[in-house]
Amino acid sequence: EVIQLSGQRALPVYGGMLASIFGKGESGKTWAAIHTGLDVVRASGPVLYCDGQMSAGVLRRRVQALGATPAELAHFHYCELTGTASDPEAVDERVTELGVRLIVWDSALSLISQTAHSENDNAAVTVVYDKLRSIVGCRNVGGLIIDHIANGSIARLPGELTARAASAKFNSMDLAYGAQLAPGSTPSPTGKWSTHIGVSKDRHGLLPSRHGYLATYLPMPNGNLQIDMDRITGPVAASDLDRTDELLGQIRALDPAARSANEAVRRLPGYRRADVLAAYKLCRGGG
């Protein structure tokens, strides 16, 4: 059961299943997760956001920045992952009390710090992640873990982005999304930037085309943030990223500059139309 259908584009999350979005710092994964949570609030019901680093005030400001109304904000609940609040059983109590439809756990390191000495300790990670799976399974709520990966811990394999980390983490997921900045893109509070989000695991075949997403982040003059999440035909692969990087250079080298995406397609006949359109969008977005 997909638990959000509000009409806005967001990462699919499913009742009774555990998903993760992983990536390096400043790759847009936390914004994408909050955007997904707000979609659930609008379509299905309350969200519980469990975090070990970001305060309740910071989360509130982020949700507001995405355009949440006061009523929507009231259904976006916060749980600090310190002390007893890091106990999955304590989270389970709040899920029941609030009627939560999605739980977001931000920072896997905070989740397992009470149990494991290292995120690469498979045995300890399995204990915690089994409890998380039990919570989402018994309550038929969605679970989304934001997994912050260190530099050098992401591999680009044919057809997907994967994380080099404890195998227990990856094995526990029903869905896993990998976030990586689009070539040439830099996070900015004033200009557009973009992130590729690929599907690296789909245990139950919920996304048969394994399409990826291009998340474009557009800061607004009033301080809010607009997120456009567009599907990319086919998986996000290393070769796709390399081709986009090449096309960015080709589009920027056009003289005179292309005035539209369709014009760029006509003037670059050696490339697929979809690839040129995606690269042109990045150019226009400051990527």
Side-chain angles (χ1 to χ4, degrees):
E1 176 200 3
V2 64
I3 60 174
Q4 93 272 34
L5 292 169
S6 73
Q8 76 174 26
R9 291 190 177 96
L11 297 177
V13 286
Y14 296 83
M17 296 186 185
L18 194 61
S20 70
I21 178 170
F22 63 86
K24 299 177 184 178
E26 302 297 320
S27 60
K29 58 190 178 298
T30 298
W31 276 117
I34 296 173
H35 173 73
T36 297
L38 185 55
D39 190 30
V40 171
V41 166
R42 288 169 172 163
S44 183
V47 166
L48 180 63
Y49 195 100
C50 306
D51 185 77
Q53 299 173 348
M54 181 167 52
S55 69
V58 171
L59 174 65
R60 182 181 181 87
R61 288 193 292 274
R62 284 199 174 199
V63 180
Q64 285 177 314
L66 292 180
T69 66
E72 291 165 349
L73 193 61
H75 286 93
F76 213 111
H77 303 283
Y78 176 83
C79 176
E80 185 178 5
L81 283 173
T82 58
T84 57
S86 64
D87 186 349
E89 281 79 3
V91 173
D92 191 24
E93 290 179 8
R94 295 204 64 187
V95 169
T96 304
E97 173 191 351
L98 299 170
V100 166
R101 296 297 291 129
L102 174 70
I103 313 169
V104 181
W105 287 279
D106 195 343
S107 180
L109 180 61
S110 296
L111 271 176
I112 68 172
S113 61
Q114 305 294 319
T115 306
H117 298 294
S118 167
E119 283 188 276
N120 293 320
D121 183 339
N122 273 299
V125 168
T126 297
V127 171
V128 173
Y129 276 48
D130 281 352
K131 289 182 178 181
L132 303 187
R133 285 190 62 83
S134 175
I135 292 173
V136 300
C138 292
R139 303 298 179 190
N140 195 34
V141 303
L144 179 61
I145 294 175
I146 305 173
D147 202 354
H148 303 277
I149 305 297
N151 289 340
S153 297
I154 291 183
R156 292 193 302 181
L157 300 177
E160 60 188 34
L161 301 173
T162 61
R164 299 188 187 104
S167 59
K169 292 163 64 175
F170 191 76
N171 292 340
S172 297
M173 297 300 117
D174 295 293
L175 282 167
Y177 300 103
Q180 184 164 304
L181 284 175
S185 194
T186 302
S188 168
T190 58
K192 287 183 182 179
W193 53 284
S194 300
T195 294
H196 284 288
I197 301 177
V199 179
S200 66
K201 183 177 182 180
D202 180 9
R203 172 180 285 167
H204 308 289
L206 299 169
L207 305 171
S209 64
R210 292 181 73 93
H211 55 258
Y213 297 84
L214 178 65
T216 302
Y217 301 83
L218 176 60
M220 308 300 287
N222 62 0
N224 284 357
L225 180 68
Q226 177 180 321
I227 301 179
D228 294 327
M229 196 170 289
D230 299 316
R231 288 185 178 183
I232 300 173
T233 302
V236 179
S239 58
D240 295 327
L241 296 176
D242 295 340
R243 187 182 303 111
T244 302
D245 199 25
E246 177 185 341
L247 272 167
L248 285 172
Q250 293 282 0
I251 292 171
R252 288 168 178 156
L254 290 175
D255 188 15
R259 291 173 294 179
S260 68
N262 286 332
E263 181 182 335
V265 171
R266 289 195 302 270
R267 294 171 63 183
L268 295 171
Y271 296 93
R272 292 188 309 168
R273 176 182 176 83
D275 295 334
V276 177
L277 293 177
Y280 185 83
K281 182 173 182 179
L282 288 177
C283 282
R284 290 296 301 271

